[in-house]
Amino acid sequence: MATIHVDGRRYEVDGGDNLLAACLSLGLDVPYFCWHPSLGSVGACRQCAVKQYKDEDDTQGMLVMSCMTPSADGTRISIDDDEAREFRASVVEWLMINHPHDCPVCEEGGHCHLQDMTVMTGHDRRRYRFSKRTHRNQDLGPFIGHEMNRCITCYRCVRFYRDYAGGQDLGAFGANDNIYFGRHQDGVLESPFSGNLTEVCPTGVFTDQTHAERYTRKWDLQFAPSICHQCAMGCNISPGERYGELRRIENRYHGEVNRFFLCDRGRFGHGYVNRDDRPRLPEWRSDRDDACVTLEVDTALDHGADRLRSARRVIGIGSPRASLESNHQLRKLVGDDVFSTGIAATEQRCLAAMQALNHSCGLPTPTLREVEQHDAVFILGEDLIASAARLGLAVRQAAQARLEALAAERDIPSWNDAAVRTLGQNRYHPVFIAYPTATDLDDVTAARWALAPDDIARLGFAVAHEIDDKAPAVAGLDPAMQEAARDIAVRLMAAERPLVISGGSLGSEAILEAAGNVARALARRARRGGLLLVRREANSTGLAMMGGKPLEWALDELASRRADAVVILENDLYQRLPAAPIEAALAAAETVVVLDHQRTATWAWAHLGLPAASFAEADGTLVSLEGRAQRFFQVFDPAYLRPETRIRESWRWLHVLRADIQRHEVADITLDAVTRDCADAYPALSAIVAAAPDADSRVHGLKLAREPHRSSGRTAMRAHIDVNEPRVPQDPDSPFTFSMEGYNGYDRPREEVAFAWAPGWNSPQAWNKFTDEVGGHLRAGDPGVRLIAPHPGDHDYATVIPEGFRAREGEWQVVILPRLFGGEETSSRAAPILARAAPATLALTIDDATRLGVSDGDRMVIASHTGSLTLTVRRDATLPEGVVGVPAGCAPAPAAGEWARLTVSSAGGPGVEAHS
């Protein structure tokens, strides 16, 4: 700690910070542009000038840039000094000489950091009257809009894109006062984190292109705290709604998870919420050949209850993309013995193995923030950017943290970004990856091995044995692999905080057990480190903790007529298994009830279809891959602007349906009640009640506002329906209001913040007002509660080691390759994601392609006993021989690990470009 004096007042601060970060952490307002909590200081904009004094007798002082000045003990500064204020005002003025001053039409208006800083410095007159420099804008793809004339040359964009996120195709061109930030030519930004430019850029140079199509100022959006549903990371988001449409998603700060950044799938993959073809009314057909008719709620529920009541046995099929509450209500409706998780058996076995390893590996599961602090990483069987992109970004920071370690040895502060990077010269902490093909983290790896799944497992088992000779040895291991295992083991043992990462992407339990053995060996020998296991979907972890039978069991029960009715919850079964067993089961069922917010292939089989709420219209709880239970809250009431809709949360539909089946009077139900019931039913989930404040929580006696205090136009929003303004929807399920009436300040700490705003801070930089220190944690504590912890003691090693992989004549082993865009069910229904997704291709080794006589662009059929698929060939120089890669999201694809045959497609045969 250090004592500093600011304008005559004494403060205790972190002596390792610079003065700008220290002042902002104290709640003092100092304007800035080029500095960012995650990017450090380069002193490029000169906006954060303050007056520094030598001692208490110094009355002259000197101007210093607070972002480049350490907060040393005894430092004396003035923010309000007249010379400092005049200098800051002049800086804004010359930075904006070439700015078009187009705030009324700029899409950044209303949450623009540049606007905040001009107001803060008092700059309100334009004196420059000469010709302005102008630039041509670029087409950067479906995600990002570009208006280069608004640039103030702060360099934040390229520092995030290149230095932090590892992108290569965005740069700074030119010199002096003619700098251009963009690509060398028009084209899609390649980084999967490009969307963060919309929040990193302090002006309107990089804007949300998906929002531009239906633009609304930030102050006219309605927000709620939510959780990204597009993977299992559990990133916190602030979705914004207007006129019953989800208009944009912004990052919501969480000190232990995503902090300031999201991946592009999470930011831009929400378009499925707004699809015109969504079911919005209950749909009924008494027989599958009948035409579908829409019904009112009571009639639809009566029809469904009558059919389910008369059924001999009802199967319930849950979903890992649905909330815990919804899955629990389905399980209550059908009974524990006939509840299926809706997950394929192979994936469910992997989830069970991961759940066991989290308890028995001896090492804790780190948070994303903790991942960045590990100094050696061993990744088994995962392409993290494709399967858990935000985790991949954290691993990149872990590798780059060596630069800060080297700087610390020479007393260079970590915030001095240019000095740290000049010293480091791209030297990284060791990252080792074993995966069948290239990954987006290869540029920061010490080594990567392209191996078949069984060989990946063998490498992991060998590493564990090298760390602890009590772990089973691997017989017949190739000498090169043995040497690699030895090197990995040495580097992991030498690290202060080694980390093992694996997951279920390749569908291999052997890989998971190998990762578990490495973790156990580290726990026994080093007594330090972490194990992080990647799951596929938003609630995969929570549903595995709840338990249930695999999807194949449910289909077999129906096909064999041991059950004659099924209720399917938010799950397109065609995305999980081949069509044949699904259709055999659903055709045999006398009653099929489907709840979903999308019109899927499974929905088409429904006798009764109930329109479920998407994450933007519902409340519920998810458990992330790190075992953090978090609550997401309803952003808007869909019936307020579309009174004809009958969209309800799935857990609410199921509660009423159950009462109707039992002929009970329907009791009121709230989120708090169903969450408590869920917690009571499953010991492993008992803590989820504490994941968020209950509906009775208040600040200053007020509920929390979903809308900024300047929100306008409410009286006109329903004028096309009725000129009389109705009462805003009442929300008994959360501590939020559907209006701007309520508390939206920052002076009282709170966990759940719908949107970031503070007086003078309208931009995303307002999050600094809600944290205990800049880049720290929310002052009321970060949302959520951890459910997973390792059991103490030494645990037994796994001993079943697979044989080495051997290629077969005329057959290839299938590996399913996750992909960020187009590989996930719901985001693949969003138009921008479809536009960004690369065509689905069949990855084939160059040697195998040569033997088959095919080249890039040719069509091939891949077929196994579970299905066949026609894809365009892409030759891959990194794949191991005898392995073929099929992109995730293509149905009906052969299952991971299967052996398949390849044949050249006949001319004009159908192919899969991308799932939609």
Side-chain angles (χ1 to χ4, degrees):
M1 298 298 290
T3 300
I4 66 171
H5 302 265
V6 182
D7 288 315
R9 300 188 65 178
R10 174 185 174 129
Y11 298 97
E12 295 292 325
V13 299
D14 183 349
D17 280 342
N18 57 43
L19 284 174
L20 175 58
C23 289
L24 292 173
S25 295
L26 293 169
L28 305 175
D29 290 341
V30 180
Y32 62 89
F33 285 121
C34 66
W35 178 85
H36 186 279
S38 291
L39 305 180
S41 305
V42 292
C45 70
R46 327 303 291 171
Q47 184 61 75
C48 63
V50 297
K51 181 70 73 68
Q52 182 176 12
Y53 302 94
K54 294 179 182 179
D55 52 42
E56 57 186 330
D57 298 324
D58 182 6
T59 59
Q60 297 298 314
M62 61 181 292
L63 289 177
V64 299
M65 301 307 116
S66 59
C67 75
M68 298 299 293
T69 306
S71 52
D73 193 45
T75 298
R76 295 176 179 272
I77 64 170
S78 172
I79 299 172
D80 292 332
D81 175 79
D82 289 342
E83 184 182 4
R85 293 171 65 91
E86 291 172 8
F87 181 83
R88 293 195 296 265
S90 70
V91 167
V92 168
E93 185 173 23
W94 58 256
L95 283 176
M96 294 187 66
I97 280 178
N98 291 298
H99 192 281
H101 294 79
D102 59 343
C103 297
V105 298
C106 178
E107 291 160 17
E108 197 75 3
H111 65 157
C112 175
H113 185 61
L114 176 60
Q115 287 179 334
D116 290 347
M117 297 302 98
T118 54
V119 172
M120 191 177 294
T121 57
H123 173 60
D124 59 1
R125 294 290 184 275
R126 180 174 59 182
R127 295 187 294 171
Y128 184 76
R129 292 292 182 267
F130 305 97
S131 297
K132 290 177 180 282
R133 175 206 64 215
T134 58
H135 292 292
R136 182 185 69 83
N137 302 321
Q138 291 185 314
D139 179 358
L140 299 178
F143 294 160
I144 303 298
H146 190 227
E147 177 50 78
M148 185 57 210
N149 294 314
R150 298 171 183 149
C151 182
I152 59 169
T153 324
C154 72
Y155 287 88
R156 264 203 210 172
C157 58
V158 292
R159 291 178 59 221
F160 165 76
Y161 195 92
R162 298 179 71 91
D163 297 342
Y164 192 92
Q168 299 296 319
D169 62 316
L170 181 77
F173 303 91
N176 300 324
D177 64 345
N178 190 27
I179 304 293
Y180 188 92
F181 296 95
R183 301 182 82 250
H184 70 288
Q185 63 182 14
D186 285 14
V188 176
L189 286 172
E190 296 171 1
S191 171
F193 305 99
S194 64
N196 294 291
L197 293 174
T198 65
E199 295 184 15
V200 167
C201 176
T203 73
V205 175
F206 299 101
T207 54
D208 186 337
Q209 184 85 347
T210 67
H211 184 210
E213 298 169 2
R214 300 282 288 168
Y215 183 73
T216 302
R217 296 289 184 197
K218 177 179 179 177
W219 62 70
D220 283 333
L221 290 172
Q222 181 167 253
F223 299 91
S226 193
I227 307 299
C228 180
H229 279 55
Q230 267 53 79
C231 80
M233 283 311 309
C235 294
N236 285 214
I237 57 174
S238 287
E241 170 267 347
R242 183 72 166 178
Y243 289 109
E245 293 180 347
L246 201 55
R247 295 294 177 86
R248 72 179 301 170
I249 283 180
E250 297 180 2
N251 181 73
R252 180 164 65 100
Y253 189 87
H254 190 294
E256 287 291 352
V257 187
N258 47 292
R259 291 200 284 174
F260 294 100
F261 306 123
L262 300 172
C263 78
D264 285 355
R265 183 163 79 186
R267 187 181 293 272
F268 302 116
H270 61 271
Y272 62 93
V273 175
N274 301 329
R275 285 180 68 106
D276 292 334
D277 63 351
R278 278 188 60 184
R280 290 185 166 85
L281 293 168
E283 296 179 3
W284 169 259
R285 56 168 70 87
S286 57
D287 188 86
R288 200 161 283 116
D289 295 329
D290 293 346
C292 181
V293 297
T294 58
L295 299 176
E296 272 302 322
V297 170
D298 290 344
T299 305
L301 289 171
D302 287 344
H303 282 359
D306 289 342
R307 294 283 287 261
L308 293 176
R309 193 185 304 113
S310 61
R312 290 181 292 103
R313 190 162 176 248
V314 182
I315 299 291
I317 298 179
S319 172
R321 64 173 166 91
S323 68
L324 289 176
E325 289 83 355
S326 294
N327 279 288
H328 168 62
Q329 288 296 97
L330 175 58
R331 188 162 173 162
K332 280 185 66 174
L333 186 148
V334 299
D336 293 347
D337 295 337
V338 288
F339 175 77
S340 166
T341 60
I343 301 172
T346 298
E347 183 179 355
Q348 184 149 323
R349 286 194 297 270
C350 288
L351 289 172
M354 287 187 267
Q355 185 179 351
L357 287 173
N358 283 135
H359 295 295
S360 66
C361 71
L363 295 180
T365 299
T367 66
L368 268 187
R369 187 189 191 101
E370 291 167 344
V371 167
E372 297 181 4
Q373 299 164 8
H374 286 268
D375 53 352
V377 184
F378 184 27
I379 303 171
L380 282 161
E382 287 291 333
D383 177 2
L384 294 180
I385 298 298
S387 61
R390 191 58 186 81
L391 174 57
L393 186 61
V395 169
R396 180 175 291 276
Q397 307 322 305
Q400 293 179 337
R402 189 181 178 208
L403 279 61
E404 297 180 8
L406 293 170
E409 295 173 0
R410 293 160 176 80
D411 294 326
I412 298 174
S414 60
W415 48 260
N416 193 338
D417 189 66
V420 169
R421 293 189 181 279
T422 300
L423 172 67
Q425 295 295 316
N426 294 326
R427 287 179 284 181
Y428 304 116
H429 284 312
V431 177
F432 302 101
I433 301 178
Y435 190 70
T437 187
T439 79
D440 284 343
L441 288 177
D442 288 355
D443 60 313
V444 295
T445 58
R448 181 184 64 81
W449 296 270
L451 302 171
D454 283 348
D455 287 342
I456 293 173
R458 287 168 64 81
L459 176 61
F461 281 116
V463 170
H465 179 72
E466 291 292 336
I467 295 173
D468 181 7
D469 58 12
K470 294 183 176 61
V474 180
L477 192 64
D478 178 84
M481 285 293 99
Q482 191 68 58
E483 183 61 31
R486 190 172 298 113
D487 180 53
I488 296 170
V490 169
R491 303 287 286 277
L492 291 177
M493 286 297 292
E496 289 294 322
R497 300 190 67 186
L499 174 63
V500 182
I501 298 177
S502 189
S505 291
L506 298 179
S508 171
E509 293 177 75
I511 290 177
L512 293 169
E513 294 297 350
N517 269 18
V518 177
R520 293 182 185 107
L522 288 171
R524 289 187 179 194
R525 290 288 310 282
R527 299 293 176 185
R528 61 182 182 272
L531 174 67
L532 191 56
L533 300 170
V534 176
R535 282 79 163 177
R536 186 159 70 100
E537 294 178 81
N539 211 12
S540 294
T541 309
L543 195 53
M545 298 172 75
M546 180 179 289
K549 295 179 172 61
L551 178 56
E552 288 88 339
W553 171 88
L555 298 181
D556 184 59
E557 293 293 297
L558 292 166
S560 62
R561 301 188 183 275
R562 290 190 291 270
D564 56 344
V566 61
V567 181
I568 303 172
L569 169 66
E570 298 182 37
N571 199 334
D572 184 7
L573 309 185
Y574 287 84
Q575 296 298 311
R576 303 184 185 279
L577 289 175
I582 296 171
E583 291 170 358
L586 297 182
E590 296 178 9
T591 301
V592 178
V593 178
V594 178
L595 299 89
D596 211 333
H597 48 77
Q598 300 299 308
R599 198 175 294 278
T600 67
T602 303
W603 178 278
W605 284 90
H607 295 97
L608 173 62
L610 298 175
S614 69
F615 78 93
E617 302 141 344
D619 309 276
T621 307
L622 303 176
V623 182
S624 69
L625 60 82
E626 65 168 83
R628 185 184 300 271
Q630 299 182 100
R631 197 95 72 240
F632 61 94
F633 293 99
Q634 186 177 8
V635 184
F636 64 99
D637 182 347
Y640 183 65
L641 289 164
R642 292 189 176 92
E644 73 280 3
T645 65
R646 297 296 182 265
I647 294 172
R648 303 286 189 273
E649 294 102 327
S650 291
W651 51 264
R652 206 179 295 275
W653 279 122
L654 292 165
H655 168 74
V656 178
L657 184 59
R658 179 168 176 262
D660 205 345
I661 292 171
Q662 297 176 346
R663 294 193 172 95
H664 290 169
E665 183 178 348
V666 179
D668 289 339
I669 187 172
T670 63
L671 176 68
D672 287 346
V674 73
T675 302
R676 282 194 299 270
D677 192 37
C678 181
D680 292 342
Y682 314 102
L685 300 174
S686 60
I688 65 171
V689 173
D694 60 28
D696 294 329
S697 179
R698 299 289 186 273
V699 176
H700 292 309
L702 299 172
K703 295 192 80 169
L704 306 176
R706 279 183 168 93
E707 299 174 356
H709 69 284
R710 294 175 296 181
S711 183
S712 62
R714 191 177 77 194
T715 56
M717 289 178 68
R718 295 180 84 259
H720 65 293
I721 301 171
D722 191 335
V723 294
N724 297 306
E725 182 190 358
R727 186 187 188 192
V728 297
Q730 302 303 294
D731 187 0
D733 297 316
S734 81
F736 291 90
T737 65
F738 285 107
S739 72
M740 61 185 176
E741 289 85 18
Y743 180 79
N744 62 12
Y746 71 95
D747 58 309
R748 290 290 298 271
R750 52 195 170 108
E751 290 181 15
E752 301 294 348
V753 183
F755 55 89
W757 176 87
W761 296 85
N762 299 281
S763 76
Q765 302 299 305
W767 284 112
N768 294 333
K769 291 291 186 179
F770 292 84
T771 54
D772 54 5
E773 61 179 346
V774 168
H777 302 268
L778 295 181
R779 282 186 285 137
D782 296 315
V785 58
R786 296 291 295 275
L787 305 179
I788 294 177
H791 296 159
D794 293 337
H795 302 279
D796 294 336
Y797 288 111
T799 57
V800 179
I801 300 175
E803 296 292 327
F805 175 78
R806 292 185 181 180
R808 296 182 184 178
E809 185 66 31
E811 288 187 314
W812 285 260
Q813 188 176 45
V814 176
V815 293
I816 304 298
L817 303 178
R819 51 179 180 154
L820 190 63
F821 305 118
E824 188 272 331
E825 180 186 345
T826 52
S827 65
S828 295
R829 294 173 172 268
I833 296 294
L834 285 175
R836 177 66 174 83
T841 56
L842 185 73
L844 197 62
T845 69
I846 293 177
D847 288 344
D848 286 341
T850 301
R851 282 195 293 271
L852 291 168
V854 294
S855 302
D856 290 344
D858 290 343
R859 314 283 281 180
M860 293 205 75
V861 178
I862 177 170
S864 71
H865 72 278
T866 60
S868 65
L869 188 67
T870 303
L871 290 169
T872 301
V873 169
R874 174 178 58 85
R875 293 181 300 168
D876 189 329
T878 63
L879 267 179
E881 186 176 343
V883 170
V884 63
V886 176
C890 296
E898 278 192 315
W899 290 88
R901 301 174 304 281
L902 299 177
T903 55
V904 178
S905 174
S906 59
V912 175
E913 295 302 323
H915 172 66
S916 62

